[in-house]
Amino acid sequence: MAFTLPDLPYAIDALAPYMSQETLEFHHGKHHQSYITNLNNMVKGNEFESASLEDIVKKTYNVADKAGIFNNASQHWNHGLFWQWMKPNGGGAIPGDLEKKLIEDFGSVDAFKDAFVQAGVTQFGSGWCWLVLGTDGKLQVTKTANGINPIATGEGTALLGCDVWEHSYYIDYRNSRPNYLEAFWNLVNWDFVNENLA
């Protein structure tokens, strides 16, 4: 079954002023769509044609002759969640269980946010920063290059991720990745993050 572009869970201008309609038109409508188009073409007629997206990501990670499939599958997986990790009028209060866990594992919510932003700022080139529930049951902040994600590396469950490829922020923030990451807190859908934790 062919993969398809998921609809945004909000209007295309709903994340402004922190993420503009123009950014979403390019990022969702063109970049995410191109990952899906490429992936569908690459899996046609081979063993991945009817596999789940997660299976494709896991089975092609670090396999040299499957790098193209991995890159497009992982970016489709990442973006499918990225749109849900944001919402109009996001940010604000963090649900109790999640807030408690953040304080328990990072010392404070602010310490977590600082670590997350730092991971995103220091990711050289394209990539992602993540809040992950590790296999040891502890929350941790990680960063990955390009389209690599926690299901590929087996680090744990991705609870929150932020895309730090330039196409995610250049229209709105030019080369200021730190400003983009700080603005991201005004968009985070904490209820969805908490659902992933649960």
PDB file of all heavy atoms in Angstrom, residues 83-116:
ATOM      1  N   TRP A  83       4.260  17.196  12.909  1.00  0.00           N
ATOM      2  CA  TRP A  83       3.049  18.022  12.779  1.00  0.00           C
ATOM      3  C   TRP A  83       2.147  17.861  13.993  1.00  0.00           C
ATOM      4  O   TRP A  83       1.450  18.804  14.380  1.00  0.00           O
ATOM      5  CB  TRP A  83       2.285  17.650  11.498  1.00  0.00           C
ATOM      6  CG  TRP A  83       3.141  17.596  10.277  1.00  0.00           C
ATOM      7  CD1 TRP A  83       3.236  16.553   9.383  1.00  0.00           C
ATOM      8  CD2 TRP A  83       4.048  18.597   9.789  1.00  0.00           C
ATOM      9  NE1 TRP A  83       4.145  16.851   8.396  1.00  0.00           N
ATOM     10  CE2 TRP A  83       4.658  18.089   8.611  1.00  0.00           C
ATOM     11  CE3 TRP A  83       4.413  19.870  10.236  1.00  0.00           C
ATOM     12  CZ2 TRP A  83       5.597  18.818   7.876  1.00  0.00           C
ATOM     13  CZ3 TRP A  83       5.352  20.589   9.512  1.00  0.00           C
ATOM     14  CH2 TRP A  83       5.930  20.069   8.361  1.00  0.00           C
ATOM     15  N   GLN A  84       2.144  16.677  14.607  1.00  0.00           N
ATOM     16  CA  GLN A  84       1.284  16.443  15.774  1.00  0.00           C
ATOM     17  C   GLN A  84       1.899  16.985  17.064  1.00  0.00           C
ATOM     18  O   GLN A  84       1.198  17.215  18.044  1.00  0.00           O
ATOM     19  CB  GLN A  84       1.024  14.948  15.932  1.00  0.00           C
ATOM     20  CG  GLN A  84       0.276  14.330  14.756  1.00  0.00           C
ATOM     21  CD  GLN A  84       0.092  12.845  14.950  1.00  0.00           C
ATOM     22  OE1 GLN A  84      -0.755  12.414  15.732  1.00  0.00           O
ATOM     23  NE2 GLN A  84       0.899  12.050  14.262  1.00  0.00           N
ATOM     24  N   TRP A  85       3.217  17.156  17.063  1.00  0.00           N
ATOM     25  CA  TRP A  85       3.890  17.699  18.248  1.00  0.00           C
ATOM     26  C   TRP A  85       3.684  19.201  18.391  1.00  0.00           C
ATOM     27  O   TRP A  85       4.137  19.804  19.345  1.00  0.00           O
ATOM     28  CB  TRP A  85       5.383  17.375  18.205  1.00  0.00           C
ATOM     29  CG  TRP A  85       5.712  15.999  18.681  1.00  0.00           C
ATOM     30  CD1 TRP A  85       5.129  15.321  19.715  1.00  0.00           C
ATOM     31  CD2 TRP A  85       6.705  15.116  18.149  1.00  0.00           C
ATOM     32  NE1 TRP A  85       5.698  14.076  19.850  1.00  0.00           N
ATOM     33  CE2 TRP A  85       6.668  13.926  18.899  1.00  0.00           C
ATOM     34  CE3 TRP A  85       7.628  15.209  17.108  1.00  0.00           C
ATOM     35  CZ2 TRP A  85       7.513  12.843  18.655  1.00  0.00           C
ATOM     36  CZ3 TRP A  85       8.464  14.141  16.854  1.00  0.00           C
ATOM     37  CH2 TRP A  85       8.412  12.974  17.626  1.00  0.00           C
ATOM     38  N   MET A  86       2.999  19.797  17.417  1.00  0.00           N
ATOM     39  CA  MET A  86       2.697  21.229  17.478  1.00  0.00           C
ATOM     40  C   MET A  86       1.193  21.435  17.386  1.00  0.00           C
ATOM     41  O   MET A  86       0.480  20.593  16.865  1.00  0.00           O
ATOM     42  CB  MET A  86       3.390  21.968  16.327  1.00  0.00           C
ATOM     43  CG  MET A  86       4.908  21.871  16.352  1.00  0.00           C
ATOM     44  SD  MET A  86       5.705  22.775  15.006  1.00  0.00           S
ATOM     45  CE  MET A  86       5.274  21.758  13.589  1.00  0.00           C
ATOM     46  N   LYS A  87       0.754  22.567  17.918  1.00  0.00           N
ATOM     47  CA  LYS A  87      -0.663  22.941  17.787  1.00  0.00           C
ATOM     48  C   LYS A  87      -0.794  24.454  17.926  1.00  0.00           C
ATOM     49  O   LYS A  87       0.081  25.100  18.520  1.00  0.00           O
ATOM     50  CB  LYS A  87      -1.517  22.220  18.830  1.00  0.00           C
ATOM     51  CG  LYS A  87      -1.299  22.678  20.267  1.00  0.00           C
ATOM     52  CD  LYS A  87      -2.272  21.982  21.224  1.00  0.00           C
ATOM     53  CE  LYS A  87      -2.104  22.498  22.634  1.00  0.00           C
ATOM     54  NZ  LYS A  87      -3.046  21.870  23.570  1.00  0.00           N
ATOM     55  N   PRO A  88      -1.888  25.025  17.392  1.00  0.00           N
ATOM     56  CA  PRO A  88      -2.127  26.447  17.592  1.00  0.00           C
ATOM     57  C   PRO A  88      -2.273  26.737  19.096  1.00  0.00           C
ATOM     58  O   PRO A  88      -2.829  25.915  19.837  1.00  0.00           O
ATOM     59  CB  PRO A  88      -3.456  26.694  16.868  1.00  0.00           C
ATOM     60  CG  PRO A  88      -3.627  25.524  15.947  1.00  0.00           C
ATOM     61  CD  PRO A  88      -2.931  24.373  16.588  1.00  0.00           C
ATOM     62  N   ASN A  89      -1.753  27.856  19.533  1.00  0.00           N
ATOM     63  CA  ASN A  89      -1.800  28.210  20.964  1.00  0.00           C
ATOM     64  C   ASN A  89      -1.200  27.100  21.822  1.00  0.00           C
ATOM     65  O   ASN A  89      -1.733  26.740  22.865  1.00  0.00           O
ATOM     66  CB  ASN A  89      -3.244  28.495  21.410  1.00  0.00           C
ATOM     67  CG  ASN A  89      -3.898  29.567  20.564  1.00  0.00           C
ATOM     68  OD1 ASN A  89      -3.347  30.650  20.383  1.00  0.00           O
ATOM     69  ND2 ASN A  89      -5.060  29.258  20.005  1.00  0.00           N
ATOM     70  N   GLY A  90      -0.097  26.553  21.338  1.00  0.00           N
ATOM     71  CA  GLY A  90       0.578  25.485  22.069  1.00  0.00           C
ATOM     72  C   GLY A  90       1.374  26.025  23.246  1.00  0.00           C
ATOM     73  O   GLY A  90       1.211  27.179  23.655  1.00  0.00           O
ATOM     74  N   GLY A  91       2.241  25.191  23.755  1.00  0.00           N
ATOM     75  CA  GLY A  91       3.009  25.573  24.940  1.00  0.00           C
ATOM     76  C   GLY A  91       2.124  25.551  26.170  1.00  0.00           C
ATOM     77  O   GLY A  91       1.208  24.744  26.274  1.00  0.00           O
ATOM     78  N   GLY A  92       2.372  26.459  27.087  1.00  0.00           N
ATOM     79  CA  GLY A  92       1.534  26.549  28.290  1.00  0.00           C
ATOM     80  C   GLY A  92       1.812  25.433  29.274  1.00  0.00           C
ATOM     81  O   GLY A  92       2.903  24.863  29.317  1.00  0.00           O
ATOM     82  N   ALA A  93       0.779  25.124  30.056  1.00  0.00           N
ATOM     83  CA  ALA A  93       0.931  24.157  31.149  1.00  0.00           C
ATOM     84  C   ALA A  93       1.228  22.756  30.612  1.00  0.00           C
ATOM     85  O   ALA A  93       0.668  22.328  29.605  1.00  0.00           O
ATOM     86  CB  ALA A  93      -0.340  24.141  31.986  1.00  0.00           C
ATOM     87  N   ILE A  94       2.116  22.062  31.309  1.00  0.00           N
ATOM     88  CA  ILE A  94       2.475  20.687  30.953  1.00  0.00           C
ATOM     89  C   ILE A  94       1.654  19.743  31.825  1.00  0.00           C
ATOM     90  O   ILE A  94       1.578  19.943  33.040  1.00  0.00           O
ATOM     91  CB  ILE A  94       3.983  20.455  31.177  1.00  0.00           C
ATOM     92  CG1 ILE A  94       4.793  21.419  30.291  1.00  0.00           C
ATOM     93  CG2 ILE A  94       4.375  19.018  30.885  1.00  0.00           C
ATOM     94  CD1 ILE A  94       6.282  21.399  30.539  1.00  0.00           C
ATOM     95  N   PRO A  95       1.010  18.722  31.238  1.00  0.00           N
ATOM     96  CA  PRO A  95       0.209  17.794  32.051  1.00  0.00           C
ATOM     97  C   PRO A  95       1.026  17.215  33.210  1.00  0.00           C
ATOM     98  O   PRO A  95       2.241  16.999  33.096  1.00  0.00           O
ATOM     99  CB  PRO A  95      -0.173  16.702  31.048  1.00  0.00           C
ATOM    100  CG  PRO A  95      -0.141  17.373  29.717  1.00  0.00           C
ATOM    101  CD  PRO A  95       0.964  18.383  29.811  1.00  0.00           C
ATOM    102  N   GLY A  96       0.321  16.974  34.324  1.00  0.00           N
ATOM    103  CA  GLY A  96       0.954  16.606  35.588  1.00  0.00           C
ATOM    104  C   GLY A  96       1.963  15.477  35.537  1.00  0.00           C
ATOM    105  O   GLY A  96       3.081  15.608  36.042  1.00  0.00           O
ATOM    106  N   ASP A  97       1.580  14.349  34.930  1.00  0.00           N
ATOM    107  CA  ASP A  97       2.486  13.192  34.906  1.00  0.00           C
ATOM    108  C   ASP A  97       3.779  13.509  34.165  1.00  0.00           C
ATOM    109  O   ASP A  97       4.868  13.132  34.599  1.00  0.00           O
ATOM    110  CB  ASP A  97       1.811  11.982  34.232  1.00  0.00           C
ATOM    111  CG  ASP A  97       0.709  11.382  35.098  1.00  0.00           C
ATOM    112  OD1 ASP A  97       0.639  11.761  36.281  1.00  0.00           O
ATOM    113  OD2 ASP A  97      -0.060  10.551  34.584  1.00  0.00           O
ATOM    114  N   LEU A  98       3.653  14.194  33.038  1.00  0.00           N
ATOM    115  CA  LEU A  98       4.814  14.543  32.229  1.00  0.00           C
ATOM    116  C   LEU A  98       5.691  15.552  32.969  1.00  0.00           C
ATOM    117  O   LEU A  98       6.920  15.406  33.015  1.00  0.00           O
ATOM    118  CB  LEU A  98       4.370  15.108  30.883  1.00  0.00           C
ATOM    119  CG  LEU A  98       5.468  15.614  29.952  1.00  0.00           C
ATOM    120  CD1 LEU A  98       6.461  14.515  29.603  1.00  0.00           C
ATOM    121  CD2 LEU A  98       4.858  16.208  28.681  1.00  0.00           C
ATOM    122  N   GLU A  99       5.068  16.556  33.560  1.00  0.00           N
ATOM    123  CA  GLU A  99       5.834  17.573  34.295  1.00  0.00           C
ATOM    124  C   GLU A  99       6.610  16.930  35.444  1.00  0.00           C
ATOM    125  O   GLU A  99       7.800  17.211  35.660  1.00  0.00           O
ATOM    126  CB  GLU A  99       4.900  18.663  34.823  1.00  0.00           C
ATOM    127  CG  GLU A  99       5.652  19.787  35.512  1.00  0.00           C
ATOM    128  CD  GLU A  99       4.728  20.886  36.011  1.00  0.00           C
ATOM    129  OE1 GLU A  99       3.642  20.558  36.545  1.00  0.00           O
ATOM    130  OE2 GLU A  99       5.096  22.060  35.869  1.00  0.00           O
ATOM    131  N   LYS A 100       5.953  16.050  36.154  1.00  0.00           N
ATOM    132  CA  LYS A 100       6.585  15.354  37.281  1.00  0.00           C
ATOM    133  C   LYS A 100       7.807  14.551  36.816  1.00  0.00           C
ATOM    134  O   LYS A 100       8.868  14.566  37.444  1.00  0.00           O
ATOM    135  CB  LYS A 100       5.544  14.429  37.929  1.00  0.00           C
ATOM    136  CG  LYS A 100       5.987  13.750  39.212  1.00  0.00           C
ATOM    137  CD  LYS A 100       4.835  12.929  39.788  1.00  0.00           C
ATOM    138  CE  LYS A 100       5.374  11.942  40.818  1.00  0.00           C
ATOM    139  NZ  LYS A 100       4.423  10.894  41.152  1.00  0.00           N
ATOM    140  N   LYS A 101       7.650  13.859  35.680  1.00  0.00           N
ATOM    141  CA  LYS A 101       8.732  13.033  35.139  1.00  0.00           C
ATOM    142  C   LYS A 101       9.899  13.910  34.650  1.00  0.00           C
ATOM    143  O   LYS A 101      11.069  13.561  34.825  1.00  0.00           O
ATOM    144  CB  LYS A 101       8.178  12.167  33.995  1.00  0.00           C
ATOM    145  CG  LYS A 101       9.166  11.184  33.394  1.00  0.00           C
ATOM    146  CD  LYS A 101       9.375   9.979  34.270  1.00  0.00           C
ATOM    147  CE  LYS A 101      10.216   8.930  33.547  1.00  0.00           C
ATOM    148  NZ  LYS A 101      11.138   8.228  34.455  1.00  0.00           N
ATOM    149  N   LEU A 102       9.583  15.041  34.033  1.00  0.00           N
ATOM    150  CA  LEU A 102      10.625  15.962  33.581  1.00  0.00           C
ATOM    151  C   LEU A 102      11.443  16.483  34.766  1.00  0.00           C
ATOM    152  O   LEU A 102      12.677  16.534  34.713  1.00  0.00           O
ATOM    153  CB  LEU A 102      10.020  17.142  32.808  1.00  0.00           C
ATOM    154  CG  LEU A 102       9.479  16.849  31.412  1.00  0.00           C
ATOM    155  CD1 LEU A 102       8.655  18.023  30.892  1.00  0.00           C
ATOM    156  CD2 LEU A 102      10.607  16.525  30.435  1.00  0.00           C
ATOM    157  N   ILE A 103      10.754  16.853  35.832  1.00  0.00           N
ATOM    158  CA  ILE A 103      11.440  17.360  37.028  1.00  0.00           C
ATOM    159  C   ILE A 103      12.279  16.251  37.668  1.00  0.00           C
ATOM    160  O   ILE A 103      13.429  16.476  38.073  1.00  0.00           O
ATOM    161  CB  ILE A 103      10.419  17.951  38.031  1.00  0.00           C
ATOM    162  CG1 ILE A 103       9.771  19.210  37.436  1.00  0.00           C
ATOM    163  CG2 ILE A 103      11.075  18.250  39.372  1.00  0.00           C
ATOM    164  CD1 ILE A 103       8.542  19.709  38.172  1.00  0.00           C
ATOM    165  N   GLU A 104      11.710  15.055  37.707  1.00  0.00           N
ATOM    166  CA  GLU A 104      12.400  13.898  38.305  1.00  0.00           C
ATOM    167  C   GLU A 104      13.708  13.588  37.552  1.00  0.00           C
ATOM    168  O   GLU A 104      14.741  13.338  38.176  1.00  0.00           O
ATOM    169  CB  GLU A 104      11.449  12.693  38.217  1.00  0.00           C
ATOM    170  CG  GLU A 104      11.863  11.448  38.949  1.00  0.00           C
ATOM    171  CD  GLU A 104      10.807  10.347  38.745  1.00  0.00           C
ATOM    172  OE1 GLU A 104       9.640  10.543  39.162  1.00  0.00           O
ATOM    173  OE2 GLU A 104      11.148   9.330  38.129  1.00  0.00           O
ATOM    174  N   ASP A 105      13.673  13.644  36.219  1.00  0.00           N
ATOM    175  CA  ASP A 105      14.821  13.193  35.426  1.00  0.00           C
ATOM    176  C   ASP A 105      15.781  14.311  35.004  1.00  0.00           C
ATOM    177  O   ASP A 105      16.936  14.040  34.680  1.00  0.00           O
ATOM    178  CB  ASP A 105      14.346  12.426  34.189  1.00  0.00           C
ATOM    179  CG  ASP A 105      13.697  11.086  34.541  1.00  0.00           C
ATOM    180  OD1 ASP A 105      13.824  10.664  35.698  1.00  0.00           O
ATOM    181  OD2 ASP A 105      13.067  10.481  33.661  1.00  0.00           O
ATOM    182  N   PHE A 106      15.299  15.567  35.007  1.00  0.00           N
ATOM    183  CA  PHE A 106      16.175  16.677  34.599  1.00  0.00           C
ATOM    184  C   PHE A 106      16.436  17.674  35.729  1.00  0.00           C
ATOM    185  O   PHE A 106      17.290  18.541  35.574  1.00  0.00           O
ATOM    186  CB  PHE A 106      15.573  17.432  33.402  1.00  0.00           C
ATOM    187  CG  PHE A 106      15.573  16.639  32.126  1.00  0.00           C
ATOM    188  CD1 PHE A 106      14.440  15.961  31.713  1.00  0.00           C
ATOM    189  CD2 PHE A 106      16.708  16.556  31.328  1.00  0.00           C
ATOM    190  CE1 PHE A 106      14.424  15.221  30.536  1.00  0.00           C
ATOM    191  CE2 PHE A 106      16.712  15.823  30.150  1.00  0.00           C
ATOM    192  CZ  PHE A 106      15.567  15.153  29.757  1.00  0.00           C
ATOM    193  N   GLY A 107      15.685  17.584  36.822  1.00  0.00           N
ATOM    194  CA  GLY A 107      15.850  18.540  37.912  1.00  0.00           C
ATOM    195  C   GLY A 107      14.827  19.652  37.870  1.00  0.00           C
ATOM    196  O   GLY A 107      14.351  20.109  38.901  1.00  0.00           O
ATOM    197  N   SER A 108      14.458  20.071  36.664  1.00  0.00           N
ATOM    198  CA  SER A 108      13.415  21.093  36.483  1.00  0.00           C
ATOM    199  C   SER A 108      12.986  21.094  35.022  1.00  0.00           C
ATOM    200  O   SER A 108      13.704  20.583  34.148  1.00  0.00           O
ATOM    201  CB  SER A 108      13.936  22.490  36.858  1.00  0.00           C
ATOM    202  OG  SER A 108      14.898  22.927  35.921  1.00  0.00           O
ATOM    203  N   VAL A 109      11.829  21.694  34.763  1.00  0.00           N
ATOM    204  CA  VAL A 109      11.352  21.829  33.386  1.00  0.00           C
ATOM    205  C   VAL A 109      12.300  22.730  32.600  1.00  0.00           C
ATOM    206  O   VAL A 109      12.625  22.461  31.441  1.00  0.00           O
ATOM    207  CB  VAL A 109       9.904  22.365  33.341  1.00  0.00           C
ATOM    208  CG1 VAL A 109       9.493  22.716  31.910  1.00  0.00           C
ATOM    209  CG2 VAL A 109       8.934  21.343  33.922  1.00  0.00           C
ATOM    210  N   ASP A 110      12.769  23.798  33.240  1.00  0.00           N
ATOM    211  CA  ASP A 110      13.691  24.715  32.560  1.00  0.00           C
ATOM    212  C   ASP A 110      14.988  24.015  32.166  1.00  0.00           C
ATOM    213  O   ASP A 110      15.540  24.274  31.089  1.00  0.00           O
ATOM    214  CB  ASP A 110      13.993  25.933  33.430  1.00  0.00           C
ATOM    215  CG  ASP A 110      12.831  26.923  33.460  1.00  0.00           C
ATOM    216  OD1 ASP A 110      11.957  26.835  32.579  1.00  0.00           O
ATOM    217  OD2 ASP A 110      12.808  27.778  34.362  1.00  0.00           O
ATOM    218  N   ALA A 111      15.476  23.135  33.037  1.00  0.00           N
ATOM    219  CA  ALA A 111      16.712  22.399  32.726  1.00  0.00           C
ATOM    220  C   ALA A 111      16.498  21.492  31.514  1.00  0.00           C
ATOM    221  O   ALA A 111      17.379  21.372  30.658  1.00  0.00           O
ATOM    222  CB  ALA A 111      17.164  21.575  33.931  1.00  0.00           C
ATOM    223  N   PHE A 112      15.322  20.869  31.429  1.00  0.00           N
ATOM    224  CA  PHE A 112      15.000  20.062  30.243  1.00  0.00           C
ATOM    225  C   PHE A 112      14.978  20.932  29.003  1.00  0.00           C
ATOM    226  O   PHE A 112      15.589  20.597  27.980  1.00  0.00           O
ATOM    227  CB  PHE A 112      13.654  19.350  30.408  1.00  0.00           C
ATOM    228  CG  PHE A 112      12.943  19.137  29.097  1.00  0.00           C
ATOM    229  CD1 PHE A 112      13.477  18.278  28.144  1.00  0.00           C
ATOM    230  CD2 PHE A 112      11.781  19.837  28.785  1.00  0.00           C
ATOM    231  CE1 PHE A 112      12.858  18.110  26.905  1.00  0.00           C
ATOM    232  CE2 PHE A 112      11.157  19.682  27.558  1.00  0.00           C
ATOM    233  CZ  PHE A 112      11.699  18.809  26.617  1.00  0.00           C
ATOM    234  N   LYS A 113      14.272  22.073  29.067  1.00  0.00           N
ATOM    235  CA  LYS A 113      14.160  22.944  27.893  1.00  0.00           C
ATOM    236  C   LYS A 113      15.536  23.434  27.439  1.00  0.00           C
ATOM    237  O   LYS A 113      15.828  23.484  26.239  1.00  0.00           O
ATOM    238  CB  LYS A 113      13.235  24.131  28.195  1.00  0.00           C
ATOM    239  CG  LYS A 113      11.759  23.744  28.276  1.00  0.00           C
ATOM    240  CD  LYS A 113      10.894  24.981  28.508  1.00  0.00           C
ATOM    241  CE  LYS A 113       9.415  24.640  28.408  1.00  0.00           C
ATOM    242  NZ  LYS A 113       8.553  25.818  28.615  1.00  0.00           N
ATOM    243  N   ASP A 114      16.388  23.784  28.394  1.00  0.00           N
ATOM    244  CA  ASP A 114      17.743  24.235  28.060  1.00  0.00           C
ATOM    245  C   ASP A 114      18.516  23.126  27.336  1.00  0.00           C
ATOM    246  O   ASP A 114      19.206  23.375  26.341  1.00  0.00           O
ATOM    247  CB  ASP A 114      18.512  24.650  29.321  1.00  0.00           C
ATOM    248  CG  ASP A 114      17.998  25.962  29.912  1.00  0.00           C
ATOM    249  OD1 ASP A 114      17.243  26.681  29.210  1.00  0.00           O
ATOM    250  OD2 ASP A 114      18.347  26.262  31.065  1.00  0.00           O
ATOM    251  N   ALA A 115      18.400  21.901  27.853  1.00  0.00           N
ATOM    252  CA  ALA A 115      19.108  20.764  27.247  1.00  0.00           C
ATOM    253  C   ALA A 115      18.588  20.489  25.832  1.00  0.00           C
ATOM    254  O   ALA A 115      19.362  20.188  24.913  1.00  0.00           O
ATOM    255  CB  ALA A 115      18.960  19.520  28.121  1.00  0.00           C
ATOM    256  N   PHE A 116      17.280  20.600  25.645  1.00  0.00           N
ATOM    257  CA  PHE A 116      16.653  20.336  24.346  1.00  0.00           C
ATOM    258  C   PHE A 116      17.114  21.373  23.320  1.00  0.00           C
ATOM    259  O   PHE A 116      17.530  21.026  22.203  1.00  0.00           O
ATOM    260  CB  PHE A 116      15.130  20.366  24.520  1.00  0.00           C
ATOM    261  CG  PHE A 116      14.341  19.895  23.327  1.00  0.00           C
ATOM    262  CD1 PHE A 116      14.047  18.549  23.154  1.00  0.00           C
ATOM    263  CD2 PHE A 116      13.853  20.799  22.390  1.00  0.00           C
ATOM    264  CE1 PHE A 116      13.289  18.113  22.065  1.00  0.00           C
ATOM    265  CE2 PHE A 116      13.105  20.379  21.302  1.00  0.00           C
ATOM    266  CZ  PHE A 116      12.823  19.024  21.139  1.00  0.00           C
TER     267      PHE A 116
END
